Every structure is written in C-alpha cells, then in structure tokens.
Amino acid sequence: MPKKRSGGGLSPTQQAAKFLGVSVLAGAVLAGIALPAFGALGLAAKGSVESFDELPANLKTPPLSQRTTILDAEGGQIATVYSRDRTVVDLKNISPYMQKAIVAIEDSRFYEHGAVDLKGMLRALNKNVQSSGVSQGASTLTQQYVKNVFVEEAGDDPTKVAQATQQTIGRKIKELKYAIQVEEELGKKKILENYLNITFFGEQAYGVEAASQRYFSTHAKDLTLPQAALLAGIVQSPTVYDPVKDDVTATNRRNVVLKRMAEVGDITEAEAAKAQESPLGLKVKQPKNGCITAVKGASFFCKYVERVFLSDPVFGKTKEVRAKLWNQGGLTIRTTLEPQSQKSVQDSLKDHVYKSDKVAAAATLVEPGTGKILGMGQSKPYGYGKNETEYNYSVNASMGGSNYGFPTGSTFKPFVAAAALEEGRPANQSYPAPYEMPYPDTVQTCSSKPWTNQGNDKLENESESEKGPYQLKKAMELSVNTYFVQMLADIGMCPVVKMTDKLGVVQGNGDKVPEVPSSMTLGSTGLSPLTMATAYAAFASRGMYCTPIAIESITQTVGGTKKSLEVPKSTCSRAMSEKTADTINTLLSGVTDSGTGKQAGLSGRANAGKTGTTDSRKNAWFVGYTPNLAGAVWVGSATQKVEMTNITIGGVYHSQVYGGDTPGPIWRDAMTGALEGREAPPFNLVHIPNPPDKDRGDENDDGDNGDNNGDTGDNGDGFLTGLLTNGTTNGGNSTGGNSTGGNDGGTFFQGQSNGNGNGGRG
C-alpha cells in the first residue's frame, strides 16, 4: 500500500498517477471517444461520470453578478449594492498590458492550443514529480473560465461552491467537455474577455474593472504595465498575493509576472527590469457596498427600496426568484427620493434631535396624489455602533421597522372625524365633552358583538379647563379627548374601521387596528410614520388615497444589453368625498393656525396638521400637510421605556414634551426646506358655522388624555349628559392599558399598548 505524506496528502507516486490520469483523460476527450473505466489510474473515484458523451451538450452561463446602483429622483447616486462587486467591460476597454500579463502568467500557450493543452500538462507533470509536490498546474484559461462559471452559478451557497471547486475527476471531465464547447463557440478573444470579467482579484473585487478601481482607483483600460502585472499575479491566490495586506509578497509576485512576460516576448528585458524597479503605486479605494454607505442620510430609504424589491411579486413570484435577481444585480434603480426634500428632512432632524439623545426621531415626506416617498430619515444613523441602529423607525416591521410601530396619540382623531362626516354628521357637530368621563358602557363594532367597558375605565382631557360643550372645530384644535370618544360612541367603530381601511392604516406588524375606543380615538395602537404620512396625504389630495411607492424605474444590464423591468405602481382610490376631505383640511388648518400645532405652522402657504402625545409622554407626533406635500414626524423611545418629562432633546430642556413643541418644529423645518421655491396652492376650505356661544379651553394647552393608572372615579354625570344613556354612570376604577415592552440593546422590540385607559394627547 502506498505511503501517505505526513498530514494525509498524496505521495509523489499517487500525485503523478492522478496527474497522468488527467492527461490521458484529456487525450481521450480530444479523440472524441467515450471514456473507459480508468480504474488502474484511480480515475473511477467518487465524482466521476460514466461517459463523456452523457454530459449535457451546452454549458449554461449565468449572467455575471454585478453591482446595482440606486439613484435618487434626479439621477444622483444614493448607494451601490452588490453580492459581488463587478462591472463588466468589453475587451477593447481592458489595457493590452493586462491582456498580455494574464495570458503570460496563467496560460502562455493560450493562442496556440485548443481547449486542453497536452504539452502544458506533460510539462507540469514533469515539474510536479521533480518537486515532489504540485508546483505547477495545467488548466488552460478556457478551463479556468469554465470553472469560474460553475462558481458563479453556485452564487453564495457554500455547498454548491464546494461542489463547483471540488478536486474530482467528475468535475474535471465536465470542465474539459465544456471547455471544448466554449472554444468552438466563443473564440479566443471572447474567452479572454469573459475570463477577465469573471475572475476574482481579491479585496471583494470581481473582474478586472472592479480590481482596477479597488487597487489603483483607475479604469481597466488605463492600467500601466506594472499595474497590470500586479493584478495578473493576484489571480493565482488572491489571499496570499494581496498587496494591501502584504506588499512584499505581492511585489515579488508582480515581478515574476513581468519576467514571464519578457520570456514569452510580450515585453523586452529592459521594460521588465524598469517595471520591476517601480513601486506598487497603490491607490486603494475602499469598498462601498450596501445601504450603510448611502449619501444624504438615505440609508434607511435605501434599505426600504431593497425590502420592496425582495418582497413585491412584480419582481418574481417567489422570494427565491426575487433574491436571485437582486443578487445578480446589474440594476440601475431610479427612486422617488427627492434630493431637496431628503436634505431638508436630515437637516431638520439634526438640528432638533441629537443622535446621542435618550430618544430618537423619524420623519417621512410623501407626495399627495402619487404616493411617492420624497424624504425619509431619522436622528440615529444607520449602523451597528453606539447611538446607531439598523431599524427603520419610519416603516412597518415587514420593511425593517419596529415590531409594532409607535402609538400615535391624537393624530388618530382626524380619522374619526372623517368617518363621522362620511356618516352624515355635520361639520359643527356638538357634544358635551366634560373634562372627565367614563368610557361608554358599550360601543358598536363591525361585528354583532359590541365592545363593552368591563373595567369601568374612564378618561379625561389634558387640562381641567377643557370642559364642553364643544363643536368639532374647537375640539379638534384643542384635541379634546372626551369629545372624540363621544363621537365614536355616536357613530360606532365600524365607520372608523372602514375609513382606516381605505387609508391603508394598519399597525406596524401589519394587523388591523383593534376595535377598542382607546385605539379608535386616542391612538394607543402603534403605527408607522410612513403609514401616517400616506393617510394624511389623502386629506391633501381631496380624498384620494395613494399607496406609497419608492421606485420610479429599473434598468437591468445583462451581457451588454439593457432592458427595463416592471416596477410596482401606486394604486390610488377614493377614500372619502371631496367635501369630507375639504372639511378635514379646514379643521386641521385651525390646529396649525390657533390650536395645539401653532409651533408647527408654516408661513406663506396653506398648511394643516395634528399633534399627538401618548401615555406617560413616551411618544410625540406631528402629522401634517400642504396641498402638495404630506409628512409625519415621530419622537420617542424605540423601546418605549423613556418618559419625555424633564428631558433634554437636541440641547433643549423640556419639562414635558408635547406633539406641538418637539415633533412640530421638526416637521415645520423639514417641510419649509422641502417646499422652498415651489408653488403654494390653497386648500378648498369650507365654511363651518361658528359656535353660538363661547367654548372653553386654553388654546395653548396641548392635550389629550394620558395614563389613568388605577385612579378611582367618583359617580359622574351620565354619559353624553343623558343624550346617549339615561341616568348616571359609575366611574369605577380606571385601568391603564397593558404594554408589553422589549429589551434595550441589540434586540429591538417596541412595546404595544392595548388597553382601554390608554389615551392620546394633542
């Protein structure tokens, strides 16, 4: 039995036998005959095939994976993403030095032999036997190209990659047959071009163009002799000859290539000597891969685009098909991101909230009538370090956002008002709206089973001065909790459910908003800023709701040919009548003019919006719009563990945070910059009769109800003062809603509020 070398390797005799077997195999292939069983030479090893002729006739060459470029709406580059950094170029755009260098060092007889170089095999065999090792290979450039095709087809699947590179006779047989086919079909120049585009040069660079950019910050067509020799030398072992990590070894390898080029007559001895004396001259360009490298603070938007691509059936019926297309790359994706709007969003966030603050802020801008996302950003940058996050606070969980979204507080109230108006309630609808009251005993739902106030929960307004009766306009301006709960009891929850369905309002986890009064009026359920911005954009567009979109067009380059891909389109539908939308616009204009949102109001153009603050001031919102732009801003703790009282945000101290004084100014500045230089169209306002007598309430109070943690209510006035129920209703104990929170740190799990006592503030 032959002895093995230490370490389990083959003995020189075994190596010679194996190599001779491959040589004989090559001869058989070239003779065009079926292979016999080469048992005596060890060729019947696992992985071999029975017959050369049984192999498929054609080599499947997958499109080379390339980088994908993501652009903004004006064509500016946001980021490049890739599974393999590669830019395919024609042979005419590759330096002649590079072409000669790779041939000289990898296959100097490339233009003389066919698919298999028997002379080279015998030479390599002789040298390997003499050195008692494998010091020289014998694969032609064509064979190496075929092997790289197998590797490319395997993608990032480690099992398939191992199969594509395993040292078995079976793989060699396939490689040889396909090499013959490639030689016949492509010719030498095309094989060389394909090889230089497919091969790996280290440092994440696939293909000579990417390698030229990585090591020398130049194009492949401009490579000098020393540069070309260096790159050609790397191919044999990108790790060993990596010039970034070991310049001495890389220099020695480069000089070997230069010497070989002189030996085969590609350059003179003098040229080789001169080039060998030159420094490496590296000008390394660091890889910029992925959305983390996005400019203009657009990393989160970039990831959103990627999520859209990987989840939308328009790009493939299955997630596997979509992922394959994304990884193949070669895409130029023009998005809806508008540079001026994006800059304004980021500037405003930076001015008002520091990344080191205990809380974060997120803002999203959407174009009414089209659904285009024009800006998206947040105060904590994209990343994995301190004060960074990979979670996009602006979107739902399925798109990389929080598990549930964030409770919206009183920004939910316009949906209730829109539902009531659609049900025929007048724009000056009046309710008693006391400072404090129990939740109604029952409220009708969309099912036959009504909601019941089993815990005798109650709610109150932000200030004791807020006592009704109120009409809708003033109640909206002051964000009066009891008013909107009474309105909900009047119309029932089903009209609100229908309205939110039409406006695309779902929780951050994708579920529908639960049919409980606190969710249906006071915003105790978590939603995302993108959801809120697109819903409010329907008010701006006079009742037309358009689903959000982020992609304008996609062009794919495959084999030098460009083609356009279908992209998702916004779907627009009527969510409410124009009259209802115009009425909501009139109501919410009062919020920014003289209500809780005065600090958010824009100057010189029509604007409207609503404030929102939630239990224990863990979340603060402002959602607003002009006729041509809508936006939502959230400020709070991602884990819902920070109460925004006695807190400094963006260098400004707050004894209590309100929707109007923190997210409001962020929205104002973001919108102001985004709209600069653009038209200022008016709303179609409606006349709402003034109340017959004075309403009470301090317009400077920003507020709705917060937590009612177990306070014991006294016997109170009858609900709606006898309008909807007779007699009195006992207050009972008020229980705040349950909140399941998450852990700080690596696992992002935003708490969700579900209880009846959880309220929203203005």
Side-chain angles (χ1 to χ4, degrees):
M1 181 177 179
K3 294 183 180 180
K4 288 187 175 182
R5 294 181 297 162
S6 61
L10 296 176
S11 69
T13 302
Q14 289 173 312
Q15 293 168 8
K18 183 174 181 180
F19 206 99
L20 181 59
V22 174
S23 300
V24 175
L25 171 64
V29 170
L30 292 176
I33 61 174
L35 293 173
F38 292 100
L41 293 174
L43 297 185
K46 182 179 179 182
S48 65
V49 293
E50 292 182 0
S51 172
F52 176 79
D53 292 330
E54 292 179 2
L55 286 169
N58 295 311
L59 172 66
K60 294 181 180 179
T61 54
L64 295 183
S65 57
Q66 301 184 69
R67 66 171 62 188
T68 284
T69 304
I70 300 177
L71 308 175
D72 61 33
E74 295 180 359
Q77 183 172 304
I78 295 173
T80 56
V81 297
Y82 49 81
S83 58
R84 292 181 177 176
D85 185 13
R86 176 189 283 119
T87 301
V88 176
V89 292
D90 295 333
L91 192 64
K92 65 182 180 181
N93 289 320
I94 300 174
S95 165
Y97 287 128
M98 186 68 220
Q99 298 178 41
K100 292 177 180 179
I102 200 71
V103 169
I105 196 62
E106 291 294 318
D107 185 2
S108 61
R109 286 172 32 82
F110 175 63
Y111 292 104
E112 300 170 25
H113 60 65
V116 181
D117 183 9
L118 290 180
K119 182 178 179 181
M121 280 186 171
L122 294 174
R123 182 186 66 249
L125 173 62
N126 181 53
K127 286 198 173 184
N128 291 340
V129 171
Q130 290 177 359
S131 65
S132 298
V134 181
S135 63
Q136 188 174 116
S139 291
T140 64
L141 270 183
T142 307
Q143 289 173 273
Q144 291 180 48
Y145 165 64
V146 170
K147 182 176 72 173
N148 275 304
V149 169
F150 294 156
V151 173
E152 182 73 19
E153 192 173 21
D156 296 324
D157 186 323
T159 302
K160 291 182 178 179
V161 171
Q163 292 172 349
T165 56
Q166 61 185 339
Q167 294 298 314
T168 64
I169 300 304
R171 186 184 68 77
K172 278 291 182 183
I173 292 173
K174 287 177 25 178
E175 186 180 290
L176 287 167
K177 177 167 184 175
Y178 290 136
I180 295 171
Q181 173 209 331
V182 167
E183 286 269 353
E184 291 177 348
E185 293 182 356
L186 300 184
K188 294 294 186 180
K189 288 187 176 181
K190 190 63 178 178
I191 292 170
L192 179 59
E193 176 186 297
N194 289 359
Y195 177 80
L196 287 169
N197 277 305
I198 199 172
T199 198
F200 181 52
F201 287 87
E203 292 289 324
Q204 302 181 34
Y206 288 81
V208 66
E209 176 67 18
S212 301
Q213 292 288 344
R214 181 77 75 251
Y215 295 109
F216 300 112
S217 298
T218 192
H219 293 291
K221 66 183 179 64
D222 298 322
L223 289 170
T224 64
L225 173 59
Q227 291 172 338
L230 178 71
L231 295 186
I234 290 173
V235 170
Q236 187 182 84
S237 181
T239 302
V240 173
Y241 300 125
D242 185 343
V244 177
K245 296 181 174 62
D246 188 344
D247 61 338
V248 174
T249 301
T251 300
N252 292 336
R253 175 63 177 169
R254 179 201 67 178
N255 292 345
V256 168
V257 175
L258 291 167
K259 180 181 178 183
R260 183 60 180 159
M261 292 179 73
E263 289 174 351
V264 299
D266 287 332
I267 58 175
T268 65
E269 293 286 350
E271 287 174 321
K274 181 179 179 181
Q276 287 173 341
E277 293 299 319
S278 66
L280 289 183
L282 296 179
K283 190 176 180 182
V284 179
K285 183 183 292 184
Q286 292 301 319
K288 287 192 174 183
N289 179 25
C291 291
I292 196 170
T293 66
V295 300
K296 304 170 187 173
S299 292
F300 295 103
F301 177 78
C302 175
K303 289 298 291 185
Y304 178 79
V305 169
E306 179 181 337
R307 293 267 187 166
V308 168
F309 192 100
L310 295 174
S311 63
D312 199 302
V314 74
F315 299 114
K317 293 182 178 180
T318 67
K319 63 180 181 180
E320 290 78 14
V321 170
R322 296 189 293 268
K324 184 176 182 180
L325 180 58
W326 179 263
N327 290 330
Q328 179 184 322
L331 308 172
T332 299
I333 303 176
R334 185 181 287 264
T335 70
T336 60
L337 196 75
E338 202 283 313
Q340 180 176 326
S341 296
Q342 179 64 17
K343 182 179 186 302
S344 186
V345 165
Q346 286 301 123
D347 288 348
S348 182
L349 287 166
K350 185 177 180 181
D351 288 344
H352 292 282
V353 184
Y354 299 157
K355 66 179 184 179
S356 58
D357 286 342
K358 293 181 179 179
V359 295
T364 297
L365 302 183
V366 173
E367 185 175 68
T370 67
K372 293 179 181 179
I373 302 170
L374 304 186
M376 179 182 287
Q378 59 195 53
S379 60
K380 292 191 183 297
Y382 186 91
Y384 310 98
K386 184 178 181 181
N387 297 318
E388 296 177 338
T389 181
E390 62 180 308
Y391 292 96
N392 185 347
Y393 302 146
S394 286
V395 301
N396 290 347
S398 63
M399 291 295 163
S402 69
N403 286 355
Y404 295 104
F406 305 107
T408 59
S410 292
T411 58
F412 200 93
K413 289 173 180 173
F415 305 146
V416 181
L421 292 168
E422 287 286 281
E423 287 293 300
R425 299 301 184 275
N428 60 355
Q429 175 73 49
S430 178
Y431 292 110
Y435 160 65
E436 182 182 76
M437 58 173 274
Y439 276 94
D441 290 335
T442 62
V443 181
Q444 188 60 49
T445 66
C446 288
S447 66
S448 58
K449 184 179 180 180
W451 175 88
T452 59
N453 185 8
Q454 297 179 346
N456 294 320
D457 297 317
K458 67 178 182 179
L459 72 154
E460 62 188 23
N461 297 325
E462 174 72 10
S463 170
E464 291 186 15
S465 64
E466 293 174 357
K467 299 176 182 178
Y470 285 117
Q471 291 190 350
L472 178 55
K473 187 173 187 297
K474 182 60 71 173
M476 186 70 80
E477 291 174 5
L478 299 180
S479 201
V480 179
N481 282 346
T482 57
Y483 178 94
F484 287 94
V485 170
Q486 290 178 336
M487 176 173 273
L488 185 74
D490 184 5
I491 66 172
M493 285 189 271
C494 202
V496 181
V497 171
K498 292 178 180 178
M499 178 57 63
T500 53
D501 284 350
K502 292 177 181 178
L503 293 173
V505 175
V506 295
Q507 298 181 71
N509 62 1
D511 292 344
K512 294 183 66 170
V513 177
E515 291 186 62
V516 295
S518 62
S519 294
M520 285 285 158
T521 53
L522 308 181
S524 64
T525 299
L527 308 176
S528 72
L530 178 57
T531 295
M532 294 300 290
T534 51
Y536 271 52
F539 298 143
S541 60
R542 304 191 72 194
M544 292 298 295
Y545 170 75
C546 297
T547 55
I549 56 169
I551 300 173
E552 291 268 28
S553 65
I554 298 181
T555 301
Q556 184 183 31
T557 302
V558 180
T561 302
K562 293 184 178 181
K563 65 175 182 178
S564 296
L565 301 185
E566 185 181 355
V567 299
K569 304 295 183 183
S570 178
T571 301
C572 297
S573 58
R574 182 153 294 283
M576 67 196 77
S577 69
E578 288 187 353
K579 181 179 178 182
T580 293
D582 291 344
T583 304
I584 294 296
N585 296 339
T586 304
L587 295 170
L588 297 186
S589 294
V591 173
T592 55
D593 179 55
S594 57
T596 59
K598 284 190 297 184
Q599 290 174 271
L602 305 178
S603 60
R605 63 175 65 241
N607 64 104
K610 186 69 187 75
T611 56
T613 315
T614 66
D615 292 347
S616 304
R617 287 179 161 77
K618 292 179 180 178
N619 304 276
W621 288 76
F622 188 86
V623 188
Y625 53 93
T626 66
N628 50 354
L629 187 62
V633 176
W634 163 82
V635 177
S637 163
T639 57
Q640 298 290 275
K641 291 185 176 182
V642 178
E643 298 182 4
M644 292 184 288
T645 57
N646 299 315
I647 188 172
T648 298
I649 301 174
V652 178
Y653 173 79
H654 301 265
S655 58
Q656 290 185 315
V657 166
Y658 294 96
D661 71 1
T662 304
I666 297 174
W667 180 89
R668 178 196 65 214
D669 292 352
M671 293 285 287
T672 298
L675 291 167
E676 184 177 357
R678 302 185 182 182
E679 62 176 340
F683 288 123
N684 293 277
L685 300 179
V686 300
H687 173 67
I688 299 176
N690 290 323
D693 15 77
K694 64 179 189 295
D695 280 348
R696 303 180 187 88
D698 183 356
E699 292 181 354
N700 292 320
D701 286 339
D702 186 346
D704 302 349
N705 175 53
D707 244 343
N708 296 301
N709 293 317
D711 294 336
T712 302
D714 298 326
N715 290 334
D717 295 331
F719 178 60
L720 292 182
T721 319
L723 178 62
L724 300 178
T725 62
N726 294 319
T728 59
T729 303
N730 291 326
N733 293 326
S734 174
T735 305
N738 296 323
S739 176
T740 56
N743 298 321
D744 288 311
T747 303
F748 181 84
F749 189 81
Q750 184 267 312
Q752 182 185 31
S753 300
N754 294 312
N756 300 324
N758 285 335
R761 295 183 176 85

